[in-house]
């Protein structure tokens, strides 16, 4: 059995928007080249936790963090951290496609161009590789210079994943990537996650428990209580969480969601 290597180590993380505490005392290892699912009821801080892993949360207002988030040993909340580099290496896919009003090609090339100039031939290769990696090439290869907004919802979401892949991240954070998609489009996203799992570390927030069992290696269950502060209740291999959870709160949540 291969040794599990943490890509991200979260140590006693508490998170605040202004003075409002959202998360308390979260400690978890997110293992390299594995899929980790974050589950739990609405309002327990799952999306906030996801955005804390690459500091995207700071784009939404004043935040305060206690504890550490270590990305291959470096605390990303240190003062001198290069935030652009962190967010390239830890990319994020949002619940709804957030494409730019530009062509399919330019959407995928956008992040690469920000990093630095590339010859046109090299950029073409990067865009093609990323779109193929997102299992979208055959559907858009003749539409590269048409508006990305003309694609279907499922295609747009896979294009967002291609855009994330183009900058060669080590981790991709996916917040409800199948939100609002029909079953066929959702299955394509799941198949994509399966194909990427040996190449990149993935953390996914999902309310679909069947999806979690299909795509994830590990699962963390979050919950919140009377003060609405989110805590991690249990973490482990997905099959153990779903068949033999240790905490009654985890078992109760899964029983309600699966029936």
């Amino acid at each position: 059995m291969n040794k599990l290597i943490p890509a991200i180590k979260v140590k006693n993380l508490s998170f605040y928007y202004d003075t409002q505490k959202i998360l308390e005392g979260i400690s978890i290892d997110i293992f390299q080249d594995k899929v980790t699912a974050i589950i739990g009821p609405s309002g327990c801080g799952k999306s906030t936790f996801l955005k804390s892993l690459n500091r995207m949360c700071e784009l939404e207002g004043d935040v305060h963090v206690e504890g550490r988030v270590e990305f291959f040993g470096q605390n990303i909340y240190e003062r001198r951290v290069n935030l652009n580099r962190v967010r390239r290496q830890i990319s994020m896919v949002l619940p709804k496609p957030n494409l730019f009003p530009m062509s399919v090609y330019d959407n995928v090339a956008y992040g690469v161009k920000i990093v630095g100039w590339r010859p046109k031939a090299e950029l073409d290769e990067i865009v093609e590789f990323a779109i193929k990696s997102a299992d979208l090439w055959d559907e858009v290869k003749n539409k590269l210079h048409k508006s990305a907004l003309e694609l279907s919802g499922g295609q747009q979401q896979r294009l967002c994943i291609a855009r994330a892949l183009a900058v060669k991240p080590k981790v991709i954070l996916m917040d409800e990537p199948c939100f609002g998609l029909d079953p066929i489009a959702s299955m394509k996203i799941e198949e994509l996650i399966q194909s990427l799992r040996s190449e990149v570390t993935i953390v996914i927030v999902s309310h679909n428990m069947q999806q979690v069992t299909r795509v994830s290696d590990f699962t963390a269950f979050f919950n919140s209580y009377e003060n609405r502060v989110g805590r991690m209740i249990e973490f482990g291999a997905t099959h153990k969480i779903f068949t033999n959870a240790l905490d009654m709160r985890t078992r109760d949540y899964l029983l309600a969601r699966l029936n």
Side-chain angles (χ1 to χ4, degrees):
M1 182 177 179
N2 293 333
K3 181 180 178 181
L4 295 171
I5 300 171
I8 298 175
K9 292 179 73 73
V10 181
K11 299 180 178 180
N12 200 31
L13 176 73
S14 293
F15 185 94
Y16 302 76
Y17 277 120
D18 293 322
T19 58
Q20 181 182 4
K21 183 182 281 189
I22 308 297
L23 298 167
E24 181 175 82
I26 309 294
S27 294
I28 182 175
D29 285 354
I30 295 168
F31 297 112
Q32 184 177 7
D33 297 339
K34 300 294 181 182
V35 180
T36 298
I38 311 296
I39 65 172
S42 297
C44 68
K46 301 184 300 298
S47 293
T48 297
F49 174 72
L50 205 65
K51 287 182 279 190
S52 76
L53 298 180
N54 70 349
R55 295 180 59 172
M56 288 290 289
C57 46
E58 294 173 26
L59 301 176
E60 300 176 351
D62 293 331
V63 305
H64 172 63
V65 171
E66 297 168 357
R68 297 172 65 88
V69 176
E70 296 180 358
F71 176 57
F72 289 105
Q74 181 184 31
N75 180 13
I76 68 168
Y77 282 92
E78 290 177 352
R79 289 184 178 181
R80 295 185 179 180
V81 164
N82 184 325
L83 269 185
N84 290 329
R85 185 169 178 268
V86 166
R87 290 170 183 161
R88 284 199 305 272
Q89 294 189 324
I90 310 175
S91 294
M92 188 158 195
V93 176
L94 298 173
K96 295 181 180 180
N98 60 330
L99 295 173
F100 305 120
M102 53 180 66
S103 70
V104 169
Y105 182 101
D106 288 335
N107 263 277
V108 178
Y110 185 83
V112 181
K113 290 179 178 178
I114 288 177
V115 175
W117 182 85
R118 301 288 183 96
K120 178 67 165 55
E122 184 180 347
L123 197 58
D124 289 348
E125 289 180 4
I126 292 171
V127 169
E128 180 174 343
F129 176 80
I131 295 175
K132 284 182 174 177
S133 297
D135 195 24
L136 190 60
W137 180 253
D138 288 343
E139 298 167 55
V140 303
K141 62 184 179 183
N142 296 321
K143 304 177 183 178
L144 293 180
H145 300 291
K146 293 184 177 181
S147 172
L149 303 180
E150 296 177 6
L151 302 179
S152 69
Q155 290 174 329
Q156 288 188 27
Q157 191 66 305
R158 279 184 285 149
L159 192 65
C160 289
I161 295 171
R163 185 174 63 193
L165 291 170
V167 296
K168 298 185 177 179
K170 294 181 178 179
V171 178
I172 296 183
L173 311 174
M174 297 185 173
D175 190 359
E176 291 282 353
C178 299
F179 179 83
L181 299 183
D182 62 58
I184 294 175
S186 296
M187 190 58 64
K188 284 185 176 292
I189 298 290
E190 288 188 23
E191 290 171 354
L192 177 54
I193 292 170
Q194 296 281 17
S195 70
L196 293 172
R197 66 190 310 135
S198 62
E199 303 169 24
V200 65
T201 304
I202 297 173
V203 188
I204 179 172
V205 167
S206 180
H207 285 286
N208 184 327
M209 297 303 100
Q210 288 82 6
Q211 180 181 81
V212 169
T213 61
R214 286 192 293 264
V215 304
S216 70
D217 302 292
F218 296 92
T219 296
F221 172 60
F222 281 42
N223 208 342
S224 59
Y225 300 97
E226 66 281 348
N227 58 2
R228 303 291 291 172
V229 176
R231 297 177 178 87
M232 189 178 75
I233 305 302
E234 190 166 356
F235 171 73
T238 294
H239 71 275
K240 289 186 177 180
I241 293 290
F242 277 78
T243 61
N244 192 28
L246 299 176
D247 195 288
M248 180 63 74
R249 293 166 291 184
T250 311
R251 294 199 293 270
D252 287 348
Y253 175 79
L254 292 174
L255 187 63
R257 297 290 301 186
L258 290 169
N259 291 335

